[in-house]
Amino acid sequence: MANQISIMWKHAETNPFAKFSGSLSGMLKDVVDALKFSAEKLSDTKGKVEIRLTSALSSSNKKYKLIVTDPPYYDDKAYGEISEFFYVWERYILEDLFPEFSASKVDVSESIDALGDRTPEIFYSRLESALRNLYNSLDDNGLLVLFFAHSNLQVWEHVLDSLYRVGFHITSAIPLATENENNVLARGKRSVYYSLVLTARKRLNNLETEEGQILDEIREEIERNYESISKLNYERGELYLWAVGVALSVVTKYSKIRSFSTKRISETALNYAQTVTSSIFLEKDMDKVIGRRLNLDEETLFYLSVLSGGKRELDTDTFNQLLKASKNIDQNSLERKRLIRKTSGKKTSIIVNDAYSRSELVEREGITNIMGNSAVDWVHRCVIQFNARPSMSVVEEHAKGAGMSIEDFQDLLKIIHFYESKMKEQERGKEYNTIGNILDYIHKLQDRRDGRIDHFFKQS
């Protein structure tokens, strides 16, 4: 079976008879409390509660005002096969109450996932069939609440296509951290760290638009919500999922979208949403930190985008999303310059190096200096040389090499220092301290020469 569960070796097992979280009595209490809560909340409602065990691919003639569902996340877990472990015990308990438990083993013939012998095409086809059944079972004014999670944008493109074709309009999308990175089952599976909680209603209006208008609406929606979203301090994964939600909401509002592009509108909209989110948040941060926006090359913007996420280590899906959000960046070039490096092991990740890590790597290869001609390359060389020889001549030399004024170069250093200050201490590295020293050095000279550092050099 093509599904792997990461294992934490030598972890302590919970004593099922102890009186704390995770114990047998604790779990039983949670179940009983949940049943009591449900019974109390449903006691004043009309109708009856019906428990049914059936396939999401089976149609129903009943109509519901609210449907809450949490479908499988593409290639995350082979729930059908894994449930065999529990089924052998549940069958003995529930067979007399539910005839569905009379089968000797779990029927996986209608499993909705892309694992084992089930291809991605099978997953997408069955998911869309299930969504269509949900649509037909929902009142015209009913509400669907759907949880879904995946870090691969192509999976989301297909999910958007299915929601659109079935006729749902996404009315809200909220990213939630639903798994802890230290969870033994979540380890190495970035797709389950964040879920997107979608609410949807039937698309009853026949609205039409064009692709360009869709993209304009996505940008307007992201700009309109910048202040409220920035206060939530989303991590990069949550922020990108929020952008996915914006695209889902805008696209599914329309029944017909005219486009002359050969690309699917889902691909265009989702990529654009993440690209423009990264761009807008960088621009707003520049406004906040330095009071203006710098015209920077794509590699430097890529570096700032990484730092803004608070971590230098990226899973491959997030790294690829950042590359897509940037223009004309060659991954091979980043590797040759040692701006990035791949980790080895079962789960490959990408490390975006700071100045000192780059310097150490090139020295091992017998190269005397950090390579490259982007602004971040000149910043990294400046950091290394300033640490060895603190002087304004070092700053001036590297600002000139980057094709920037001293003031622009100083502001770039401020942006980098701002993002690194928000990182955990072990993530910052020595670069953070050295850039702080450079900025302090410049500040002292500015005080002596009444403000503008460019003026200082003209007078020197």
Side-chain angles (χ1 to χ4, degrees):
M1 183 172 58
N3 183 56
Q4 297 175 339
I5 299 178
S6 301
I7 296 176
M8 182 189 299
W9 297 105
K10 298 182 180 178
H11 63 282
E13 294 185 3
T14 300
N15 180 354
F17 302 107
K19 295 183 178 180
F20 52 75
S21 176
S23 66
L24 188 62
S25 61
M27 290 187 288
L28 181 60
K29 182 179 182 300
D30 289 342
V31 172
V32 172
D33 288 346
L35 290 172
K36 284 182 178 178
F37 176 84
S38 300
E40 290 172 2
K41 295 301 179 183
L42 293 170
S43 60
D44 295 331
T45 60
K46 296 179 180 179
K48 62 178 182 179
V49 175
E50 181 181 0
I51 300 175
R52 298 176 62 207
L53 178 63
T54 187
S55 169
L57 300 178
S58 301
S59 58
S60 171
N61 294 324
K62 292 189 176 182
K63 295 288 185 180
Y64 302 92
K65 295 185 180 297
L66 174 66
I67 297 176
V68 181
T69 184
D70 188 2
Y73 302 157
Y74 184 64
D75 60 353
D76 180 47
K77 294 283 186 300
Y79 288 105
E81 285 83 356
I82 292 175
S83 64
E84 287 280 4
F85 175 82
F86 307 97
Y87 182 77
V88 294
W89 304 102
E90 292 172 344
R91 183 186 173 205
Y92 285 114
I93 301 170
L94 301 173
E95 186 175 4
D96 293 337
L97 299 173
F98 296 94
E100 296 91 341
F101 279 85
S102 61
S104 61
K105 61 180 296 183
V106 175
D107 180 10
V108 297
S109 62
E110 293 187 350
S111 291
I112 305 177
D113 58 51
L115 292 164
D117 59 356
R118 296 176 290 277
T119 64
E121 289 73 24
I122 288 176
F123 170 78
Y124 296 129
S125 173
R126 289 178 179 174
L127 178 66
E128 185 163 330
S129 295
L131 289 172
R132 196 171 300 280
N133 285 337
L134 295 178
Y135 182 93
N136 293 332
S137 298
L138 196 65
D139 277 348
D140 283 349
N141 63 344
L143 180 70
L144 170 70
V145 180
L146 183 146
F147 292 71
F148 195 79
H150 211 279
S151 59
N152 190 314
L153 208 57
Q154 290 183 342
V155 174
W156 278 107
E157 290 170 12
H158 286 281
V159 172
L160 172 52
D161 287 339
S162 293
L163 289 166
Y164 181 81
R165 283 193 294 262
V166 167
F168 279 116
H169 170 213
I170 305 303
T171 54
S172 71
I174 304 170
L176 294 177
T178 50
E179 296 279 359
N180 189 301
E181 291 186 27
N182 296 320
N183 184 314
V184 65
L185 297 181
R187 182 162 298 177
K189 291 180 138 322
R190 186 69 186 176
S191 61
V192 296
Y193 290 172
Y194 304 107
S195 295
L196 200 56
V197 184
L198 305 173
T199 61
R201 296 187 183 274
K202 289 186 174 181
R203 187 174 59 241
L204 301 177
N205 297 322
N206 292 318
L207 300 177
E208 297 185 13
T209 190
E210 296 180 351
E211 180 181 307
Q213 181 63 32
I214 288 285
L215 302 185
D216 288 344
E217 282 191 47
I218 290 173
R219 172 175 276 277
E220 290 169 6
E221 189 70 10
I222 291 170
E223 288 182 331
R224 186 175 67 83
N225 286 282
Y226 166 78
E227 291 295 339
S228 58
I229 295 301
S230 60
K231 291 176 183 176
L232 297 175
N233 293 319
Y234 280 158
E235 292 188 5
R236 184 189 296 104
E238 292 172 293
L239 184 61
Y240 277 172
L241 259 189
W242 173 76
V244 165
V246 171
L248 290 172
S249 178
V250 172
V251 170
T252 57
K253 182 167 58 176
Y254 297 94
S255 58
K256 184 176 180 180
I257 302 170
R258 294 180 292 275
S259 173
F260 297 102
S261 172
T262 56
K263 290 184 178 180
R264 304 191 335 267
I265 187 62
S266 57
E267 178 184 357
T268 301
L270 290 176
N271 278 293
Y272 180 78
Q274 293 198 339
T275 299
V276 79
T277 295
S278 180
S279 174
I280 287 173
F281 274 70
L282 280 177
E283 289 172 354
K284 297 290 187 181
D285 284 343
M286 286 187 191
D287 290 343
K288 180 166 57 177
V289 176
I290 61 176
R292 63 195 184 105
R293 298 174 186 180
L294 297 175
N295 183 21
L296 300 169
D297 60 87
E298 289 296 328
E299 287 187 2
T300 303
L301 291 173
F302 164 80
Y303 188 73
L304 294 177
S305 295
V306 171
L307 297 186
S308 70
K311 294 180 180 178
R312 290 184 177 275
E313 184 171 358
L314 312 173
D315 63 274
T316 52
D317 285 327
T318 302
F319 173 72
N320 289 331
Q321 288 167 12
L322 281 169
L323 279 188
K324 281 186 177 181
S326 307
K327 300 173 184 176
N328 304 318
I329 289 186
D330 178 27
Q331 179 177 343
N332 292 329
S333 174
L334 298 181
E335 291 181 20
R336 283 194 301 272
K337 297 198 304 181
R338 303 297 180 262
L339 185 58
I340 65 170
R341 70 181 189 275
K342 293 181 180 178
T343 62
S344 57
K346 181 190 288 187
K347 190 73 175 179
T348 301
S349 60
I350 308 295
I351 306 291
V352 180
N353 295 313
D354 72 351
Y356 288 96
S357 297
R358 290 182 74 182
S359 181
E360 289 172 8
L361 287 170
V362 298
E363 281 181 10
R364 286 181 206 160
E365 298 166 9
I367 302 171
T368 57
N369 209 346
I370 292 171
M371 297 173 286
N373 204 39
S374 65
V376 68
D377 298 327
W378 285 100
V379 165
H380 280 177
R381 284 191 287 267
C382 180
V383 166
I384 299 301
Q385 293 190 27
F386 187 91
N387 187 58
R389 167 171 73 89
S391 68
M392 277 309 305
S393 61
V394 171
V395 179
E396 182 185 29
E397 173 191 341
H398 289 85
K400 184 177 180 181
M404 303 174 74
S405 68
I406 299 294
E407 195 168 21
D408 287 350
F409 197 72
Q410 177 189 12
D411 282 347
L412 175 55
L413 292 173
K414 287 180 181 178
I415 292 291
I416 293 173
H417 197 255
F418 166 74
Y419 284 137
E420 290 178 339
S421 71
K422 298 166 76 69
M423 289 178 166
K424 293 179 180 178
E425 192 169 344
Q426 62 269 28
E427 292 276 352
R428 291 175 183 170
K430 289 170 61 179
E431 176 179 295
Y432 170 75
N433 294 327
T434 305
I435 289 179
N437 292 337
I438 295 172
L439 292 173
D440 287 343
Y441 198 98
I442 294 174
H443 183 69
K444 289 174 183 176
L445 290 180
Q446 284 177 316
D447 287 343
R448 282 189 229 159
R449 290 286 177 164
D450 193 27
R452 287 183 57 84
I453 196 68
D454 283 337
H455 175 73
F456 168 80
F457 283 104
K458 290 176 184 177
Q459 300 295 317
S460 299

CSV table of all heavy atoms in Angstrom, one decimal, residues 17 51 56 79 84 99 102 115 126 157 189 192 245 248-249 278 316 319 341 343 347 352 356 365 396 401 415 423 434:
chain,number,residue,atom,x,y,z
A,17,PHE,N,-5.2,3.2,31.9
A,17,PHE,CA,-6.0,3.2,33.2
A,17,PHE,C,-5.6,4.4,34.1
A,17,PHE,O,-6.2,4.6,35.2
A,17,PHE,CB,-5.7,1.9,34.0
A,17,PHE,CG,-6.1,0.7,33.2
A,17,PHE,CD1,-5.1,-0.2,32.7
A,17,PHE,CD2,-7.4,0.4,33.0
A,17,PHE,CE1,-5.4,-1.3,31.9
A,17,PHE,CE2,-7.8,-0.7,32.2
A,17,PHE,CZ,-6.8,-1.6,31.7
A,51,ILE,N,-29.1,7.5,12.4
A,51,ILE,CA,-27.7,7.1,12.2
A,51,ILE,C,-27.7,6.1,11.1
A,51,ILE,O,-28.3,5.0,11.2
A,51,ILE,CB,-27.1,6.5,13.5
A,51,ILE,CG1,-27.2,7.5,14.6
A,51,ILE,CG2,-25.7,6.1,13.2
A,51,ILE,CD1,-26.7,7.0,16.0
A,56,ALA,N,-21.0,7.8,0.4
A,56,ALA,CA,-21.2,9.1,-0.1
A,56,ALA,C,-21.5,9.1,-1.6
A,56,ALA,O,-22.0,10.1,-2.1
A,56,ALA,CB,-20.0,10.0,0.2
A,79,TYR,N,-8.1,5.4,4.3
A,79,TYR,CA,-8.9,5.1,5.5
A,79,TYR,C,-9.6,3.7,5.4
A,79,TYR,O,-9.8,3.1,6.4
A,79,TYR,CB,-10.0,6.2,5.6
A,79,TYR,CG,-9.5,7.5,6.0
A,79,TYR,CD1,-9.3,8.6,5.2
A,79,TYR,CD2,-9.2,7.7,7.4
A,79,TYR,CE1,-8.8,9.8,5.6
A,79,TYR,CE2,-8.7,8.9,7.8
A,79,TYR,CZ,-8.5,9.9,6.9
A,79,TYR,OH,-7.9,11.1,7.4
A,84,GLU,N,-9.7,-1.4,8.8
A,84,GLU,CA,-9.7,-2.9,9.0
A,84,GLU,C,-9.3,-3.2,10.5
A,84,GLU,O,-9.9,-4.1,11.1
A,84,GLU,CB,-8.8,-3.6,8.1
A,84,GLU,CG,-9.3,-3.7,6.7
A,84,GLU,CD,-10.4,-4.8,6.4
A,84,GLU,OE1,-10.8,-5.4,7.4
A,84,GLU,OE2,-10.8,-5.0,5.3
A,99,PRO,N,-27.0,-4.0,10.6
A,99,PRO,CA,-26.8,-5.1,9.7
A,99,PRO,C,-25.6,-4.8,8.7
A,99,PRO,O,-25.0,-5.7,8.2
A,99,PRO,CB,-28.1,-5.2,8.9
A,99,PRO,CG,-28.8,-3.9,9.1
A,99,PRO,CD,-28.4,-3.4,10.4
A,102,SER,N,-22.3,-6.8,9.1
A,102,SER,CA,-22.3,-8.2,9.0
A,102,SER,C,-21.2,-8.7,8.0
A,102,SER,O,-20.8,-9.9,8.1
A,102,SER,CB,-23.7,-8.7,8.4
A,102,SER,OG,-23.9,-8.1,7.2
A,115,LEU,N,-4.7,6.4,-3.2
A,115,LEU,CA,-3.7,5.5,-2.6
A,115,LEU,C,-4.0,4.0,-3.0
A,115,LEU,O,-5.1,3.7,-3.5
A,115,LEU,CB,-3.8,5.6,-1.0
A,115,LEU,CG,-3.3,7.0,-0.5
A,115,LEU,CD1,-3.7,7.1,1.0
A,115,LEU,CD2,-1.8,7.1,-0.6
A,126,ARG,N,-14.6,10.3,-8.1
A,126,ARG,CA,-15.5,10.0,-7.0
A,126,ARG,C,-15.8,11.1,-6.1
A,126,ARG,O,-16.9,11.3,-5.5
A,126,ARG,CB,-14.8,8.8,-6.1
A,126,ARG,CG,-14.8,7.5,-6.9
A,126,ARG,CD,-14.1,6.4,-6.1
A,126,ARG,NE,-14.2,5.1,-6.9
A,126,ARG,CZ,-13.5,4.0,-6.5
A,126,ARG,NH1,-12.8,4.0,-5.3
A,126,ARG,NH2,-13.6,2.9,-7.2
A,157,GLU,N,-6.7,22.8,-7.4
A,157,GLU,CA,-7.3,23.1,-8.7
A,157,GLU,C,-8.4,22.2,-9.1
A,157,GLU,O,-9.5,22.6,-9.6
A,157,GLU,CB,-6.2,23.1,-9.8
A,157,GLU,CG,-5.2,24.2,-9.6
A,157,GLU,CD,-4.0,24.0,-10.6
A,157,GLU,OE1,-4.0,23.2,-11.4
A,157,GLU,OE2,-2.9,24.7,-10.4
A,189,LYS,N,4.2,15.1,6.8
A,189,LYS,CA,3.1,15.3,5.9
A,189,LYS,C,2.5,16.7,6.0
A,189,LYS,O,1.6,16.9,6.8
A,189,LYS,CB,2.0,14.3,6.3
A,189,LYS,CG,2.3,12.8,6.0
A,189,LYS,CD,1.2,12.0,6.4
A,189,LYS,CE,0.9,10.8,5.5
A,189,LYS,NZ,1.0,11.0,4.1
A,192,VAL,N,-1.4,18.0,6.1
A,192,VAL,CA,-2.4,17.9,7.1
A,192,VAL,C,-2.2,18.9,8.2
A,192,VAL,O,-2.9,18.9,9.2
A,192,VAL,CB,-2.5,16.5,7.7
A,192,VAL,CG1,-2.9,15.5,6.7
A,192,VAL,CG2,-1.1,16.1,8.3
A,245,GLY,N,-8.6,30.1,-0.5
A,245,GLY,CA,-10.0,30.3,-0.2
A,245,GLY,C,-10.6,31.5,-0.9
A,245,GLY,O,-11.8,31.5,-1.3
A,248,LEU,N,-11.3,30.5,-4.4
A,248,LEU,CA,-12.5,29.6,-4.5
A,248,LEU,C,-13.8,30.4,-4.4
A,248,LEU,O,-14.7,30.2,-5.2
A,248,LEU,CB,-12.4,28.6,-3.3
A,248,LEU,CG,-11.4,27.5,-3.4
A,248,LEU,CD1,-11.4,26.8,-2.0
A,248,LEU,CD2,-11.6,26.5,-4.5
A,249,SER,N,-13.8,31.4,-3.5
A,249,SER,CA,-15.0,32.2,-3.3
A,249,SER,C,-15.3,33.0,-4.6
A,249,SER,O,-16.5,33.1,-5.0
A,249,SER,CB,-14.8,33.1,-2.1
A,249,SER,OG,-15.9,33.9,-1.9
A,278,SER,N,1.4,37.1,-1.7
A,278,SER,CA,2.8,37.3,-1.4
A,278,SER,C,3.2,38.7,-1.7
A,278,SER,O,3.9,39.4,-0.9
A,278,SER,CB,3.7,36.3,-2.1
A,278,SER,OG,5.0,36.5,-1.8
A,316,THR,N,8.7,20.9,0.0
A,316,THR,CA,8.8,21.1,-1.4
A,316,THR,C,7.6,21.7,-2.0
A,316,THR,O,7.7,22.5,-3.0
A,316,THR,CB,9.1,19.7,-2.1
A,316,THR,OG1,8.1,18.8,-1.8
A,316,THR,CG2,10.4,19.2,-1.8
A,319,PHE,N,7.9,25.5,-1.3
A,319,PHE,CA,9.0,26.0,-2.1
A,319,PHE,C,8.5,26.2,-3.5
A,319,PHE,O,8.8,27.3,-4.1
A,319,PHE,CB,10.2,25.1,-2.0
A,319,PHE,CG,11.3,25.5,-3.0
A,319,PHE,CD1,12.1,26.6,-2.7
A,319,PHE,CD2,11.5,24.8,-4.1
A,319,PHE,CE1,13.1,27.0,-3.6
A,319,PHE,CE2,12.5,25.1,-5.0
A,319,PHE,CZ,13.3,26.2,-4.7
A,341,ARG,N,19.6,24.9,-0.5
A,341,ARG,CA,20.1,23.5,-0.5
A,341,ARG,C,19.0,22.6,-0.1
A,341,ARG,O,18.1,22.9,0.6
A,341,ARG,CB,21.3,23.4,0.4
A,341,ARG,CG,21.0,23.4,1.9
A,341,ARG,CD,22.3,23.3,2.7
A,341,ARG,NE,22.0,23.1,4.1
A,341,ARG,CZ,21.8,24.0,5.0
A,341,ARG,NH1,21.8,25.3,4.6
A,341,ARG,NH2,21.6,23.7,6.3
A,343,THR,N,17.7,19.1,1.6
A,343,THR,CA,18.1,18.1,2.7
A,343,THR,C,18.0,16.7,2.1
A,343,THR,O,17.2,16.4,1.2
A,343,THR,CB,17.2,18.3,3.9
A,343,THR,OG1,15.8,18.0,3.5
A,343,THR,CG2,17.2,19.7,4.5
A,347,LYS,N,12.1,12.4,3.6
A,347,LYS,CA,11.3,13.6,3.2
A,347,LYS,C,12.2,14.8,2.8
A,347,LYS,O,12.8,15.4,3.7
A,347,LYS,CB,10.4,14.0,4.3
A,347,LYS,CG,9.3,15.0,3.9
A,347,LYS,CD,8.2,14.3,3.1
A,347,LYS,CE,7.1,15.3,2.8
A,347,LYS,NZ,6.1,14.8,1.9
A,352,VAL,N,16.7,27.6,2.9
A,352,VAL,CA,17.1,28.8,2.3
A,352,VAL,C,18.2,29.4,3.2
A,352,VAL,O,18.0,29.7,4.4
A,352,VAL,CB,16.0,29.8,2.2
A,352,VAL,CG1,16.4,31.1,1.5
A,352,VAL,CG2,14.9,29.2,1.3
A,356,TYR,N,26.0,33.4,6.4
A,356,TYR,CA,27.1,32.6,6.9
A,356,TYR,C,27.0,31.1,6.4
A,356,TYR,O,28.0,30.5,6.2
A,356,TYR,CB,27.0,32.6,8.5
A,356,TYR,CG,27.4,34.0,9.0
A,356,TYR,CD1,26.5,35.0,9.3
A,356,TYR,CD2,28.8,34.3,9.2
A,356,TYR,CE1,26.9,36.2,9.8
A,356,TYR,CE2,29.2,35.5,9.7
A,356,TYR,CZ,28.2,36.5,10.0
A,356,TYR,OH,28.6,37.7,10.4
A,365,GLU,N,34.1,24.4,-1.0
A,365,GLU,CA,34.3,24.1,-2.4
A,365,GLU,C,35.5,24.8,-2.9
A,365,GLU,O,35.7,24.8,-4.1
A,365,GLU,CB,33.0,24.4,-3.2
A,365,GLU,CG,31.8,23.5,-2.7
A,365,GLU,CD,30.5,24.1,-3.2
A,365,GLU,OE1,30.5,25.0,-4.1
A,365,GLU,OE2,29.4,23.6,-2.8
A,396,GLU,N,29.3,50.8,1.5
A,396,GLU,CA,29.2,51.6,0.3
A,396,GLU,C,29.6,50.7,-0.9
A,396,GLU,O,28.9,50.8,-1.9
A,396,GLU,CB,30.2,52.8,0.4
A,396,GLU,CG,30.2,53.6,-0.9
A,396,GLU,CD,31.2,54.7,-0.8
A,396,GLU,OE1,32.3,54.5,-0.2
A,396,GLU,OE2,31.0,55.8,-1.4
A,401,GLY,N,27.7,47.8,-5.7
A,401,GLY,CA,27.7,46.6,-6.5
A,401,GLY,C,26.2,46.2,-6.8
A,401,GLY,O,25.9,45.6,-7.9
A,415,ILE,N,14.5,45.7,6.2
A,415,ILE,CA,13.4,44.8,5.9
A,415,ILE,C,13.8,43.4,6.3
A,415,ILE,O,13.1,42.6,7.0
A,415,ILE,CB,13.0,44.8,4.4
A,415,ILE,CG1,12.3,46.1,4.1
A,415,ILE,CG2,12.1,43.6,4.1
A,415,ILE,CD1,11.0,46.3,4.7
A,423,MET,N,11.5,35.8,13.7
A,423,MET,CA,11.8,34.4,13.7
A,423,MET,C,12.1,33.9,15.1
A,423,MET,O,12.5,34.7,16.0
A,423,MET,CB,12.9,34.1,12.8
A,423,MET,CG,12.7,34.2,11.3
A,423,MET,SD,14.2,33.8,10.4
A,423,MET,CE,13.5,33.7,8.8
A,434,THR,N,24.6,40.4,12.7
A,434,THR,CA,25.5,41.3,11.9
A,434,THR,C,24.7,42.4,11.2
A,434,THR,O,25.2,43.5,11.2
A,434,THR,CB,26.2,40.4,10.9
A,434,THR,OG1,26.9,39.3,11.6
A,434,THR,CG2,27.3,41.3,10.1
